[in-house]
Amino acid sequence: MAMIHTGGGREGTRLHVQRMSPEDGPPAATAVLLHGLLTDSLASYYFTIAPALVAAGIDVVMYDHRGHGRSARPDSGYRLDDFVTDLECLLGQLEITAPVHLVGNCFGGTVAFEYAVRHPGRVAGLFLIEANPATTSWAGEITGILERIVRELVEHEAETLAWVNANRGAHTARLARSAARLVRTTTIARDVPESDVLSEHEIRAVRCPVFALYGSDSELAGQETWLESLLPDLRTAVLPGQGHSVLAEAPGLVLDLLLSSILEHGRPPRIPVPAGSAPSGATSKAVER
């Protein structure tokens, strides 16, 4: 475990970082794993795909976003720009100068895409898990999500946490309690929706390989068509029967697709689909374009 102080935001913050490197020989690539918002942390990678990535010869960097996990929780400074600046400072302090593969789950994918817009020569590839670039539509969606979280986890915290504990278990209740504290004691619910958004011109300027992964039952399913119209080097996959929590619920499939993207730059491996479960247009593998 390491703590790195960044210059992100007005005063910078301390970030909890974990780096795992192959023991035999130089790494084939470096992957930086970025987690989602509020209830997430680097643990979602540490206990799923990170060890297997290292075993495959990849240098892995994970960190808790500001306000999350073991990183510091500043009172303010939670616009998308602050998260991207944290990533810039982190890579600089770790002296990682070669292009990296950015793997972003949900909000982490939004941070990764913004970094790629700012630093096109520093990104070898983007792997987006249930994530989209920051657009006007994204801002509206994240505003609605955060407003609901404020109602449920702040205004009715006791009732909501009791329900979560009874129906989702003690571990999920602890995550929800931490998210409630973050929303209650910082400006994150106000800052994230006020982030600057990208124009279609800026999105089109991304030239590195991009792989976008969705669950067929997720609200984001269908976004791949829009992304394909903007990005010349985009591949997408839709996992049948999966919702938004693809990383947690299907880590093996995510790992196979990610390794294919990083090491082979080829087409995704075949993914078995139970009879009758494939969405419209699917074959007996992930829906891939």
Side-chain angles (χ1 to χ4, degrees):
M1 182 182 78
M3 300 298 291
I4 290 180
H5 191 278
T6 77
R10 287 182 288 276
E11 299 178 354
T13 191
R14 289 181 299 106
L15 298 181
H16 167 225
V17 183
Q18 293 274 8
R19 188 170 189 176
M20 303 166 63
S21 300
E23 295 181 358
D24 301 326
T30 295
V32 182
L33 315 183
L34 296 91
H35 66 76
L37 200 63
L38 296 184
T39 59
D40 211 353
S41 71
L42 67 77
S44 62
Y45 289 112
Y46 187 87
F47 292 107
T48 56
I49 65 174
L53 288 174
V54 178
I58 296 171
D59 181 32
V60 171
V61 176
M62 302 168 284
Y63 68 100
D64 290 326
H65 289 306
R66 54 176 53 221
H68 296 70
R70 296 182 180 179
S71 289
R73 186 184 295 116
D75 295 337
S76 61
Y78 291 93
R79 294 193 180 190
L80 180 59
D81 181 71
D82 297 309
F83 291 93
V84 177
T85 302
D86 283 343
L87 176 57
E88 293 169 343
C89 295
L90 174 71
L91 294 177
Q93 294 206 32
L94 292 177
E95 298 182 347
I96 298 175
T97 58
V100 297
H101 293 267
L102 297 180
V103 181
N105 183 38
C106 194
F107 181 73
T110 305
V111 176
F113 201 99
E114 185 83 14
Y115 181 90
V117 170
R118 287 194 197 178
H119 304 284
R122 299 292 308 278
V123 181
L126 286 172
F127 192 90
L128 309 178
I129 306 169
E130 279 286 305
N132 279 329
T135 62
T136 301
S137 174
W138 168 87
E141 292 169 358
I142 200 72
T143 297
I145 291 170
L146 288 170
E147 287 177 347
R148 176 175 57 80
I149 289 173
V150 168
R151 287 195 305 271
E152 296 178 357
L153 283 181
V154 177
E155 297 173 8
H156 304 284
E157 182 175 349
E159 301 95 314
T160 299
L161 291 178
W163 184 93
V164 172
N165 187 69
N167 293 272
R168 297 290 185 266
H171 174 67
T172 303
R174 285 194 296 271
L175 295 177
R177 187 175 296 108
S178 178
R181 184 169 64 252
L182 178 60
V183 171
R184 187 177 60 251
T185 61
T186 74
T187 59
I188 191 169
R190 185 166 66 248
D191 289 355
V192 173
E194 293 179 351
S195 300
D196 292 335
V197 297
L198 298 172
S199 66
E200 287 196 353
H201 174 75
E202 290 172 309
I203 294 172
R204 291 179 189 275
V206 172
R207 287 292 183 264
C208 68
V210 182
F211 196 111
L213 175 62
Y214 303 97
S216 65
D217 298 338
S218 163
E219 294 180 357
L220 294 183
Q223 292 294 309
E224 66 273 11
T225 302
W226 168 73
L227 274 178
E228 286 167 353
S229 71
L230 300 177
L231 298 175
D233 198 0
L234 174 76
R235 288 181 296 141
T236 63
V238 178
L239 298 185
Q242 296 295 327
H244 183 64
S245 302
V246 169
L247 177 61
E249 296 175 2
L253 298 181
V254 174
L255 175 65
D256 288 345
L257 291 165
L258 177 55
L259 285 175
S260 174
S261 176
I262 293 177
L263 299 178
E264 302 173 15
H265 295 286
R267 301 181 67 82
R270 294 178 63 84
I271 299 176
V273 177
S277 66
S280 176
T283 63
S284 59
K285 62 175 182 178
V287 182
E288 187 264 336
R289 296 176 174 86

